Amino acid sequence: MNPEPLVDPSRSVIELYHRAEVLNDELGRIERAGGAVVRVDAGRWESSTYLKAIGEALGFPDHYGANLDALADCLGDVAAGFHGFPAGAGVRVLAIYQFDAFRRAAPAEALAFVDALAGAAGTALKYGRPLLVMLQSDDPDLSLPPVAPVVVTWNRAEHLRANRHTT
């Protein structure tokens, strides 16, 4: 029996997760297979803080300007493997917890952020160095419009709304 691939081409490079344990299980599987994970908590992000917070989490250079253009540039560097993850990491994952709180606090910025992440994830595939984005949401009904050329979908384990209920 062949093991499940780390990157399933039928899945989106950005996925939503409701239950943190489902996300953490997926992240553990990726790490055990040699992938690299950066975890960030967006629960307190606001329009004025998220750019700096993501720059710190991904180790952006000191000259990072903390604006959308600089974010796109630095995420392009992450896609190319210049920073953000250890050199030689196979699959790279940016896991963002409590994304729904950021979406409520700064709706336009949250969508612009996801759009920039989608662009970087697409670029990373061109380099043959997958970059996946996993957004955890405490709101099981969170819905995001398509960004860049990417449709953000619920993960395989929680695709059905009934599977997002906590016990």
Side-chain angles (χ1 to χ4, degrees), residues 13-14 50 68-69 71-72 75-76 96 99 102-103 107-123 131 133 135 144-152:
V13 291
I14 302 180
Y50 83 99
L68 280 176
D69 288 336
L71 175 68
L75 286 174
I96 302 173
F99 181 78
F102 175 47
R103 173 86 158 104
E109 290 84 353
L111 289 180
F113 178 56
V114 172
D115 189 59
L117 291 170
T123 299
L131 172 62
V133 178
L135 305 173
L144 298 174
V147 291
V150 175
V151 175
V152 180

Side-chain angles (χ1 to χ4, degrees), residues 57-147:
L58 291 172
F60 289 174
D62 291 339
H63 64 269
Y64 167 59
N67 59 57
L68 280 176
D69 288 336
L71 175 68
D73 288 345
C74 286
L75 286 174
D77 290 344
V78 169
F82 296 129
H83 50 257
F85 295 89
V91 173
R92 299 164 300 155
V93 179
L94 177 59
I96 302 173
Y97 292 82
Q98 296 185 321
F99 181 78
D100 56 309
F102 175 47
R103 173 86 158 104
R104 281 190 306 277
E109 290 84 353
L111 289 180
F113 178 56
V114 172
D115 189 59
L117 291 170
T123 299
L125 290 175
K126 293 176 186 175
Y127 286 107
R129 301 184 49 135
L131 172 62
L132 306 177
V133 178
M134 298 179 176
L135 305 173
Q136 186 273 327
S137 170
D138 290 335
D139 175 1
D141 295 318
L142 179 69
S143 177
L144 298 174
V147 291

